[in-house]
Amino acid sequence: MLETQDYDCPYCGEPAEAVLDLSAGDQDYIEDCPVCCRPIVFALQTDGEDWSLHVRSENE
């Protein structure tokens, strides 16, 4: 199951959208900001239906 979540880059503040795969369970991964290209750490917590996404800079 795919969901989307809007977020703001923790470095440049630009808005972006993440595509989340809830079928894979809890996940921690890094993706580069589509604007400033700096690494963003994503922490997805999910039970397959309900979910929360925390976005932070690599140095936090």
Side-chain angles (χ1 to χ4, degrees):
M1 170 189 261
L2 297 178
E3 293 283 345
T4 59
Q5 174 67 46
D6 293 331
Y7 67 92
D8 293 329
C9 173
Y11 299 101
C12 68
E14 289 294 318
E17 183 177 77
V19 178
L20 311 173
D21 182 0
L22 302 184
S23 67
D26 293 346
Q27 303 168 49
D28 292 315
Y29 59 95
I30 297 174
E31 288 186 14
D32 291 340
C33 171
V35 177
C36 71
C37 300
R38 295 184 71 184
I40 302 170
V41 178
F42 292 84
L44 174 64
Q45 304 285 309
T46 183
D47 62 7
E49 292 181 26
D50 296 323
W51 52 274
S52 66
L53 180 67
H54 178 70
V55 179
R56 63 181 177 86
S57 69
E58 191 175 42
N59 298 326
E60 281 184 43

Short mmCIF file of all heavy atoms in Angstrom, two decimals:
data_model
loop_
_atom_site.label_atom_id
_atom_site.label_comp_id
_atom_site.label_asym_id
_atom_site.label_seq_id
_atom_site.Cartn_x
_atom_site.Cartn_y
_atom_site.Cartn_z
N MET A 1 0.84 -1.17 0.00
CA MET A 1 0.00 0.00 0.00
C MET A 1 0.89 1.24 0.00
O MET A 1 1.76 1.39 0.84
CB MET A 1 -0.92 -0.01 1.22
CG MET A 1 -1.65 1.28 1.42
SD MET A 1 -2.52 1.37 2.97
CE MET A 1 -4.13 0.97 2.41
N LEU A 2 0.69 2.11 -0.96
CA LEU A 2 1.47 3.34 -1.06
C LEU A 2 0.65 4.53 -0.58
O LEU A 2 -0.53 4.64 -0.86
CB LEU A 2 1.91 3.57 -2.50
CG LEU A 2 2.84 2.52 -3.11
CD1 LEU A 2 3.14 2.87 -4.56
CD2 LEU A 2 4.12 2.39 -2.32
N GLU A 3 1.32 5.40 0.14
CA GLU A 3 0.74 6.66 0.61
C GLU A 3 1.72 7.77 0.27
O GLU A 3 2.90 7.52 0.04
CB GLU A 3 0.53 6.64 2.13
CG GLU A 3 -0.51 5.67 2.61
CD GLU A 3 -1.93 6.16 2.38
OE1 GLU A 3 -2.13 7.36 2.11
OE2 GLU A 3 -2.85 5.34 2.47
N THR A 4 1.24 8.99 0.25
CA THR A 4 2.13 10.14 0.07
C THR A 4 2.03 11.04 1.28
O THR A 4 1.01 11.10 1.96
CB THR A 4 1.76 10.94 -1.20
OG1 THR A 4 0.42 11.39 -1.09
CG2 THR A 4 1.94 10.10 -2.46
N GLN A 5 3.13 11.72 1.56
CA GLN A 5 3.20 12.64 2.71
C GLN A 5 4.01 13.86 2.31
O GLN A 5 5.14 13.72 1.82
CB GLN A 5 3.85 11.95 3.91
CG GLN A 5 4.11 12.86 5.09
CD GLN A 5 2.83 13.32 5.75
OE1 GLN A 5 1.93 12.53 6.00
NE2 GLN A 5 2.74 14.60 6.05
N ASP A 6 3.45 15.02 2.49
CA ASP A 6 4.19 16.26 2.26
C ASP A 6 5.11 16.50 3.45
O ASP A 6 4.79 16.17 4.59
CB ASP A 6 3.23 17.44 2.12
CG ASP A 6 2.38 17.35 0.86
OD1 ASP A 6 2.84 16.76 -0.13
OD2 ASP A 6 1.26 17.88 0.88
N TYR A 7 6.29 17.09 3.17
CA TYR A 7 7.23 17.44 4.22
C TYR A 7 8.04 18.64 3.74
O TYR A 7 8.05 18.97 2.56
CB TYR A 7 8.16 16.27 4.57
CG TYR A 7 9.12 15.89 3.47
CD1 TYR A 7 10.39 16.44 3.41
CD2 TYR A 7 8.75 14.99 2.46
CE1 TYR A 7 11.27 16.11 2.39
CE2 TYR A 7 9.62 14.66 1.45
CZ TYR A 7 10.88 15.21 1.42
OH TYR A 7 11.75 14.89 0.41
N ASP A 8 8.72 19.29 4.67
CA ASP A 8 9.63 20.39 4.36
C ASP A 8 11.05 19.91 4.59
O ASP A 8 11.33 19.28 5.62
CB ASP A 8 9.35 21.61 5.22
CG ASP A 8 8.00 22.23 4.93
OD1 ASP A 8 7.54 22.14 3.77
OD2 ASP A 8 7.40 22.81 5.85
N CYS A 9 11.94 20.21 3.66
CA CYS A 9 13.35 19.82 3.82
C CYS A 9 13.90 20.46 5.09
O CYS A 9 13.73 21.66 5.31
CB CYS A 9 14.15 20.27 2.60
SG CYS A 9 15.93 20.01 2.78
N PRO A 10 14.58 19.67 5.94
CA PRO A 10 15.14 20.24 7.17
C PRO A 10 16.34 21.16 6.92
O PRO A 10 16.78 21.86 7.82
CB PRO A 10 15.55 19.01 7.98
CG PRO A 10 15.70 17.92 6.98
CD PRO A 10 14.77 18.22 5.87
N TYR A 11 16.87 21.17 5.71
CA TYR A 11 18.00 22.03 5.37
C TYR A 11 17.55 23.33 4.71
O TYR A 11 17.82 24.41 5.21
CB TYR A 11 18.97 21.31 4.43
CG TYR A 11 19.57 20.07 4.99
CD1 TYR A 11 19.08 18.82 4.64
CD2 TYR A 11 20.63 20.13 5.90
CE1 TYR A 11 19.63 17.66 5.15
CE2 TYR A 11 21.19 18.97 6.42
CZ TYR A 11 20.69 17.74 6.04
OH TYR A 11 21.23 16.60 6.56
N CYS A 12 16.86 23.22 3.57
CA CYS A 12 16.51 24.41 2.79
C CYS A 12 15.07 24.87 3.01
O CYS A 12 14.69 25.95 2.59
CB CYS A 12 16.75 24.17 1.30
SG CYS A 12 15.65 22.96 0.52
N GLY A 13 14.24 24.04 3.66
CA GLY A 13 12.87 24.42 3.97
C GLY A 13 11.88 24.28 2.83
O GLY A 13 10.71 24.60 3.00
N GLU A 14 12.35 23.83 1.68
CA GLU A 14 11.45 23.69 0.53
C GLU A 14 10.49 22.52 0.73
O GLU A 14 10.87 21.48 1.25
CB GLU A 14 12.25 23.48 -0.75
CG GLU A 14 13.00 24.70 -1.22
CD GLU A 14 12.08 25.82 -1.65
OE1 GLU A 14 11.07 25.56 -2.33
OE2 GLU A 14 12.38 26.98 -1.30
N PRO A 15 9.24 22.68 0.30
CA PRO A 15 8.28 21.58 0.41
C PRO A 15 8.57 20.49 -0.63
O PRO A 15 9.03 20.77 -1.73
CB PRO A 15 6.93 22.25 0.13
CG PRO A 15 7.27 23.46 -0.67
CD PRO A 15 8.64 23.89 -0.23
N ALA A 16 8.30 19.24 -0.24
CA ALA A 16 8.48 18.09 -1.13
C ALA A 16 7.45 17.04 -0.73
O ALA A 16 6.72 17.20 0.24
CB ALA A 16 9.89 17.55 -1.04
N GLU A 17 7.41 15.95 -1.48
CA GLU A 17 6.46 14.88 -1.20
C GLU A 17 7.19 13.55 -1.16
O GLU A 17 7.99 13.25 -2.05
CB GLU A 17 5.38 14.85 -2.29
CG GLU A 17 4.31 13.81 -2.06
CD GLU A 17 3.24 13.87 -3.13
OE1 GLU A 17 3.50 13.38 -4.24
OE2 GLU A 17 2.16 14.41 -2.84
N ALA A 18 6.94 12.75 -0.13
CA ALA A 18 7.51 11.42 -0.01
C ALA A 18 6.44 10.39 -0.37
O ALA A 18 5.27 10.55 -0.01
CB ALA A 18 7.99 11.19 1.43
N VAL A 19 6.86 9.34 -1.06
CA VAL A 19 5.99 8.20 -1.34
C VAL A 19 6.38 7.11 -0.35
O VAL A 19 7.54 6.70 -0.29
CB VAL A 19 6.15 7.71 -2.80
CG1 VAL A 19 5.27 6.50 -3.04
CG2 VAL A 19 5.80 8.82 -3.77
N LEU A 20 5.41 6.65 0.44
CA LEU A 20 5.65 5.69 1.51
C LEU A 20 5.06 4.34 1.17
O LEU A 20 3.91 4.25 0.77
CB LEU A 20 5.02 6.21 2.81
CG LEU A 20 5.34 7.65 3.18
CD1 LEU A 20 4.52 8.07 4.38
CD2 LEU A 20 6.82 7.83 3.43
N ASP A 21 5.84 3.27 1.36
CA ASP A 21 5.37 1.90 1.16
C ASP A 21 5.04 1.31 2.53
O ASP A 21 5.92 0.87 3.26
CB ASP A 21 6.45 1.08 0.46
CG ASP A 21 6.00 -0.35 0.19
OD1 ASP A 21 4.85 -0.71 0.54
OD2 ASP A 21 6.79 -1.11 -0.39
N LEU A 22 3.76 1.32 2.89
CA LEU A 22 3.35 0.85 4.21
C LEU A 22 3.42 -0.66 4.35
O LEU A 22 3.44 -1.19 5.46
CB LEU A 22 1.93 1.33 4.51
CG LEU A 22 1.69 2.84 4.47
CD1 LEU A 22 0.27 3.15 4.88
CD2 LEU A 22 2.69 3.59 5.31
N SER A 23 3.50 -1.39 3.25
CA SER A 23 3.54 -2.85 3.31
C SER A 23 4.88 -3.38 3.81
O SER A 23 4.99 -4.55 4.19
CB SER A 23 3.24 -3.45 1.93
OG SER A 23 4.28 -3.14 1.02
N ALA A 24 5.91 -2.53 3.86
CA ALA A 24 7.24 -2.97 4.28
C ALA A 24 7.48 -2.78 5.78
O ALA A 24 8.57 -3.07 6.26
CB ALA A 24 8.30 -2.21 3.49
N GLY A 25 6.49 -2.30 6.53
CA GLY A 25 6.65 -2.12 7.97
C GLY A 25 7.48 -0.89 8.31
O GLY A 25 7.69 -0.02 7.47
N ASP A 26 7.98 -0.83 9.56
CA ASP A 26 8.79 0.30 10.00
C ASP A 26 10.05 0.39 9.16
O ASP A 26 10.67 -0.64 8.84
CB ASP A 26 9.16 0.15 11.47
CG ASP A 26 7.95 0.25 12.40
OD1 ASP A 26 6.88 0.69 11.95
OD2 ASP A 26 8.10 -0.13 13.57
N GLN A 27 10.44 1.62 8.82
CA GLN A 27 11.61 1.81 7.97
C GLN A 27 12.37 3.06 8.39
O GLN A 27 11.79 4.05 8.79
CB GLN A 27 11.18 2.01 6.51
CG GLN A 27 10.36 0.89 5.94
CD GLN A 27 9.75 1.30 4.62
OE1 GLN A 27 10.44 1.82 3.74
NE2 GLN A 27 8.46 1.10 4.46
N ASP A 28 13.68 2.99 8.27
CA ASP A 28 14.57 4.15 8.39
C ASP A 28 15.39 4.18 7.11
O ASP A 28 16.01 3.17 6.75
CB ASP A 28 15.51 4.02 9.59
CG ASP A 28 14.77 4.12 10.91
OD1 ASP A 28 13.91 5.00 11.05
OD2 ASP A 28 15.05 3.30 11.80
N TYR A 29 15.37 5.29 6.40
CA TYR A 29 16.11 5.38 5.15
C TYR A 29 16.50 6.82 4.87
O TYR A 29 16.00 7.75 5.51
CB TYR A 29 15.31 4.79 3.99
CG TYR A 29 13.97 5.44 3.74
CD1 TYR A 29 13.83 6.45 2.80
CD2 TYR A 29 12.83 5.05 4.45
CE1 TYR A 29 12.60 7.05 2.58
CE2 TYR A 29 11.60 5.65 4.22
CZ TYR A 29 11.50 6.64 3.29
OH TYR A 29 10.29 7.24 3.06
N ILE A 30 17.41 7.01 3.92
CA ILE A 30 17.91 8.33 3.55
C ILE A 30 17.60 8.57 2.09
O ILE A 30 17.83 7.71 1.24
CB ILE A 30 19.43 8.43 3.80
CG1 ILE A 30 19.72 8.27 5.28
CG2 ILE A 30 19.97 9.76 3.27
CD1 ILE A 30 21.20 8.22 5.62
N GLU A 31 17.08 9.77 1.81
CA GLU A 31 16.87 10.24 0.44
C GLU A 31 17.38 11.66 0.35
O GLU A 31 17.29 12.41 1.33
CB GLU A 31 15.38 10.22 0.05
CG GLU A 31 14.82 8.85 -0.16
CD GLU A 31 13.39 8.89 -0.69
OE1 GLU A 31 12.92 9.96 -1.14
OE2 GLU A 31 12.75 7.85 -0.64
N ASP A 32 17.90 12.03 -0.80
CA ASP A 32 18.38 13.39 -1.00
C ASP A 32 17.20 14.32 -1.27
O ASP A 32 16.24 13.94 -1.94
CB ASP A 32 19.35 13.45 -2.18
CG ASP A 32 20.67 12.76 -1.88
OD1 ASP A 32 20.99 12.57 -0.69
OD2 ASP A 32 21.38 12.42 -2.83
N CYS A 33 17.30 15.54 -0.78
CA CYS A 33 16.31 16.57 -1.04
C CYS A 33 16.26 16.82 -2.55
O CYS A 33 17.32 16.96 -3.19
CB CYS A 33 16.67 17.85 -0.30
SG CYS A 33 15.64 19.28 -0.77
N PRO A 34 15.06 16.88 -3.15
CA PRO A 34 14.97 17.13 -4.59
C PRO A 34 15.38 18.55 -4.98
O PRO A 34 15.60 18.82 -6.15
CB PRO A 34 13.50 16.87 -4.91
CG PRO A 34 12.78 17.02 -3.62
CD PRO A 34 13.75 16.64 -2.54
N VAL A 35 15.53 19.46 -4.01
CA VAL A 35 15.90 20.85 -4.30
C VAL A 35 17.38 21.09 -4.01
O VAL A 35 18.14 21.49 -4.90
CB VAL A 35 15.02 21.84 -3.51
CG1 VAL A 35 15.44 23.28 -3.76
CG2 VAL A 35 13.56 21.64 -3.86
N CYS A 36 17.82 20.85 -2.77
CA CYS A 36 19.20 21.17 -2.39
C CYS A 36 20.14 19.96 -2.40
O CYS A 36 21.34 20.11 -2.19
CB CYS A 36 19.24 21.85 -1.03
SG CYS A 36 18.87 20.78 0.38
N CYS A 37 19.60 18.77 -2.60
CA CYS A 37 20.37 17.52 -2.74
C CYS A 37 21.09 17.07 -1.47
O CYS A 37 21.95 16.20 -1.52
CB CYS A 37 21.37 17.61 -3.89
SG CYS A 37 20.58 17.91 -5.47
N ARG A 38 20.73 17.62 -0.31
CA ARG A 38 21.35 17.17 0.94
C ARG A 38 20.58 15.96 1.47
O ARG A 38 19.39 15.80 1.21
CB ARG A 38 21.35 18.30 1.95
CG ARG A 38 22.28 19.44 1.43
CD ARG A 38 22.43 20.53 2.39
NE ARG A 38 23.24 20.09 3.52
CZ ARG A 38 23.48 20.86 4.57
NH1 ARG A 38 22.99 22.06 4.64
NH2 ARG A 38 24.21 20.41 5.57
N PRO A 39 21.26 15.07 2.22
CA PRO A 39 20.63 13.83 2.68
C PRO A 39 19.63 14.05 3.81
O PRO A 39 19.95 14.66 4.83
CB PRO A 39 21.80 12.98 3.15
CG PRO A 39 22.85 13.99 3.52
CD PRO A 39 22.67 15.15 2.59
N ILE A 40 18.41 13.55 3.62
CA ILE A 40 17.34 13.65 4.61
C ILE A 40 17.09 12.26 5.17
O ILE A 40 16.97 11.29 4.42
CB ILE A 40 16.05 14.19 3.98
CG1 ILE A 40 16.29 15.56 3.35
CG2 ILE A 40 14.94 14.26 5.01
CD1 ILE A 40 15.13 16.05 2.51
N VAL A 41 17.00 12.15 6.49
CA VAL A 41 16.72 10.88 7.16
C VAL A 41 15.21 10.78 7.39
O VAL A 41 14.62 11.68 8.00
CB VAL A 41 17.48 10.77 8.50
CG1 VAL A 41 17.14 9.46 9.20
CG2 VAL A 41 18.98 10.90 8.27
N PHE A 42 14.62 9.72 6.89
CA PHE A 42 13.19 9.45 7.06
C PHE A 42 13.03 8.29 8.03
O PHE A 42 13.71 7.27 7.90
CB PHE A 42 12.56 9.05 5.72
CG PHE A 42 12.50 10.16 4.72
CD1 PHE A 42 13.60 10.44 3.91
CD2 PHE A 42 11.36 10.92 4.56
CE1 PHE A 42 13.55 11.44 2.97
CE2 PHE A 42 11.31 11.94 3.63
CZ PHE A 42 12.41 12.20 2.83
N ALA A 43 12.13 8.44 8.99
CA ALA A 43 11.79 7.37 9.94
C ALA A 43 10.29 7.14 9.84
O ALA A 43 9.50 7.98 10.26
CB ALA A 43 12.20 7.74 11.35
N LEU A 44 9.91 6.01 9.25
CA LEU A 44 8.51 5.66 9.06
C LEU A 44 8.11 4.61 10.08
O LEU A 44 8.76 3.58 10.19
CB LEU A 44 8.28 5.12 7.64
CG LEU A 44 6.90 4.56 7.33
CD1 LEU A 44 5.84 5.67 7.41
CD2 LEU A 44 6.88 3.91 5.96
N GLN A 45 7.07 4.90 10.82
CA GLN A 45 6.51 3.95 11.78
C GLN A 45 5.12 3.57 11.27
O GLN A 45 4.30 4.45 11.02
CB GLN A 45 6.38 4.59 13.16
CG GLN A 45 7.67 5.16 13.70
CD GLN A 45 8.60 4.09 14.19
OE1 GLN A 45 8.21 3.25 14.96
NE2 GLN A 45 9.83 4.12 13.73
N THR A 46 4.86 2.27 11.09
CA THR A 46 3.56 1.85 10.56
C THR A 46 3.19 0.45 11.02
O THR A 46 4.05 -0.38 11.27
CB THR A 46 3.53 1.91 9.02
OG1 THR A 46 2.23 1.56 8.56
CG2 THR A 46 4.55 0.98 8.40
N ASP A 47 1.88 0.22 11.11
CA ASP A 47 1.37 -1.12 11.36
C ASP A 47 0.68 -1.65 10.11
O ASP A 47 -0.03 -2.64 10.14
CB ASP A 47 0.40 -1.12 12.56
CG ASP A 47 -0.82 -0.24 12.33
OD1 ASP A 47 -1.01 0.28 11.20
OD2 ASP A 47 -1.60 -0.06 13.28
N GLY A 48 0.89 -0.97 8.98
CA GLY A 48 0.26 -1.35 7.72
C GLY A 48 -0.96 -0.53 7.38
O GLY A 48 -1.37 -0.48 6.23
N GLU A 49 -1.54 0.12 8.38
CA GLU A 49 -2.71 0.98 8.16
C GLU A 49 -2.43 2.40 8.66
O GLU A 49 -2.45 3.34 7.90
CB GLU A 49 -3.94 0.41 8.83
CG GLU A 49 -4.43 -0.88 8.21
CD GLU A 49 -5.69 -1.41 8.89
OE1 GLU A 49 -6.42 -0.59 9.47
OE2 GLU A 49 -5.91 -2.62 8.82
N ASP A 50 -2.20 2.54 9.96
CA ASP A 50 -1.85 3.83 10.54
C ASP A 50 -0.34 4.02 10.40
O ASP A 50 0.42 3.06 10.45
CB ASP A 50 -2.25 3.89 12.01
CG ASP A 50 -3.75 3.78 12.19
OD1 ASP A 50 -4.50 4.33 11.35
OD2 ASP A 50 -4.18 3.13 13.16
N TRP A 51 0.09 5.27 10.25
CA TRP A 51 1.51 5.53 10.09
C TRP A 51 1.87 6.94 10.53
O TRP A 51 1.02 7.80 10.65
CB TRP A 51 1.94 5.30 8.64
CG TRP A 51 1.11 6.02 7.63
CD1 TRP A 51 -0.05 5.58 7.06
CD2 TRP A 51 1.34 7.32 7.08
NE1 TRP A 51 -0.55 6.53 6.20
CE2 TRP A 51 0.29 7.60 6.18
CE3 TRP A 51 2.34 8.27 7.27
CZ2 TRP A 51 0.22 8.78 5.47
CZ3 TRP A 51 2.26 9.46 6.56
CH2 TRP A 51 1.21 9.70 5.67
N SER A 52 3.16 7.12 10.80
CA SER A 52 3.70 8.45 11.07
C SER A 52 5.08 8.53 10.43
O SER A 52 5.80 7.53 10.34
CB SER A 52 3.78 8.73 12.57
OG SER A 52 4.72 7.88 13.18
N LEU A 53 5.43 9.70 9.97
CA LEU A 53 6.71 9.92 9.32
C LEU A 53 7.43 11.05 10.02
O LEU A 53 6.88 12.13 10.23
CB LEU A 53 6.49 10.29 7.84
CG LEU A 53 7.76 10.54 7.03
CD1 LEU A 53 8.56 9.24 6.88
CD2 LEU A 53 7.43 11.13 5.67
N HIS A 54 8.69 10.81 10.40
CA HIS A 54 9.54 11.83 11.00
C HIS A 54 10.68 12.09 10.03
O HIS A 54 11.34 11.16 9.57
CB HIS A 54 10.08 11.37 12.36
CG HIS A 54 10.98 12.36 12.99
ND1 HIS A 54 10.54 13.56 13.50
CD2 HIS A 54 12.31 12.35 13.18
CE1 HIS A 54 11.57 14.23 13.99
NE2 HIS A 54 12.66 13.52 13.80
N VAL A 55 10.91 13.37 9.71
CA VAL A 55 11.95 13.77 8.78
C VAL A 55 12.94 14.63 9.52
O VAL A 55 12.56 15.55 10.25
CB VAL A 55 11.32 14.57 7.60
CG1 VAL A 55 12.39 15.03 6.64
CG2 VAL A 55 10.27 13.74 6.89
N ARG A 56 14.25 14.35 9.34
CA ARG A 56 15.27 15.13 10.03
C ARG A 56 16.53 15.24 9.18
O ARG A 56 16.71 14.48 8.23
CB ARG A 56 15.61 14.52 11.39
CG ARG A 56 16.20 13.13 11.31
CD ARG A 56 16.49 12.58 12.71
NE ARG A 56 16.99 11.22 12.66
CZ ARG A 56 18.26 10.89 12.48
NH1 ARG A 56 19.17 11.82 12.33
NH2 ARG A 56 18.62 9.62 12.47
N SER A 57 17.41 16.15 9.57
CA SER A 57 18.69 16.28 8.89
C SER A 57 19.60 15.13 9.33
O SER A 57 19.37 14.50 10.35
CB SER A 57 19.33 17.62 9.19
OG SER A 57 19.73 17.69 10.54
N GLU A 58 20.65 14.90 8.57
CA GLU A 58 21.57 13.80 8.85
C GLU A 58 22.31 14.00 10.16
O GLU A 58 22.72 13.05 10.81
CB GLU A 58 22.54 13.68 7.69
CG GLU A 58 23.39 12.43 7.73
CD GLU A 58 24.25 12.30 6.50
OE1 GLU A 58 24.83 13.31 6.06
OE2 GLU A 58 24.33 11.19 5.98
N ASN A 59 22.48 15.25 10.60
CA ASN A 59 23.26 15.54 11.80
C ASN A 59 22.45 15.67 13.08
O ASN A 59 22.99 15.97 14.13
CB ASN A 59 24.06 16.83 11.58
CG ASN A 59 25.04 16.67 10.44
OD1 ASN A 59 25.58 15.60 10.23
ND2 ASN A 59 25.24 17.73 9.68
N GLU A 60 21.14 15.47 13.02
CA GLU A 60 20.30 15.58 14.22
C GLU A 60 20.39 14.33 15.05
O GLU A 60 20.52 13.24 14.60
CB GLU A 60 18.85 15.82 13.84
CG GLU A 60 18.58 17.25 13.47
CD GLU A 60 17.11 17.50 13.18
OE1 GLU A 60 16.25 16.99 13.93
OE2 GLU A 60 16.85 18.18 12.20
#
